[in-house]
Amino acid sequence: MAQTPATLYTNHADTIDYTPSGSAVVAGDVIVLGSVVAIATHDIADGVLGSLALEGVFKVPKITGANAVGTLIYWDPAGNPVNGTAGSGGATSTAGSLKQMGYVARASLSGDELVEVVLSKA
């Protein structure tokens, strides 16, 4: 019996297709898709197909707290960033029920606004 062939290649493993529904996405927005955390590298208009990064190193807003290199980082979509709009989301090393986004690439101090994260598919 012949093997059923795989579907033809459709995408790079470091990105995923995404069509926002309800509002546009701005480059740098962190998007949670099920158990995957991805980042928009370009603006994507509402209802238009674009792509999100699944891998790479990104500086993202963080919640108060120091982070050592290699620490697992999670995205809190309702978190309060060190400097920004309360409830707009931030990276944290406190897991809870949050989705893992990657690990710390460069240590950050508690009052730092951003943390450098190696985004990785969990």
Side-chain angles (χ1 to χ4, degrees):
M1 175 181 277
Q3 178 182 9
T4 303
T7 305
L8 296 176
Y9 170 86
T10 61
N11 207 338
H12 295 283
D14 59 348
T15 63
I16 189 170
D17 289 341
Y18 178 70
T19 304
S21 176
S23 63
V25 170
V26 177
D29 281 355
V30 177
I31 308 294
V32 177
L33 302 170
S35 63
V36 176
V37 178
I39 297 178
T41 57
H42 296 73
D43 294 347
I44 308 171
D46 182 29
V48 176
L49 179 65
S51 65
L52 303 174
L54 297 172
E55 296 178 342
V57 180
F58 296 87
K59 289 181 180 177
V60 298
K62 67 181 261 321
I63 294 170
T64 301
N67 299 290
V69 173
T71 301
L72 289 177
I73 288 291
Y74 304 85
W75 183 253
D76 182 352
N80 299 321
V82 169
N83 185 18
T85 305
S88 63
T92 180
S93 59
T94 304
S97 62
L98 303 175
K99 305 302 180 197
Q100 181 182 329
M101 69 184 310
Y103 57 91
V104 176
R106 182 174 297 199
S108 64
L109 301 174
S110 184
D112 289 346
E113 294 179 26
L114 304 172
V115 61
E116 199 168 309
V117 175
V118 177
L119 191 66
S120 60
K121 297 172 279 199

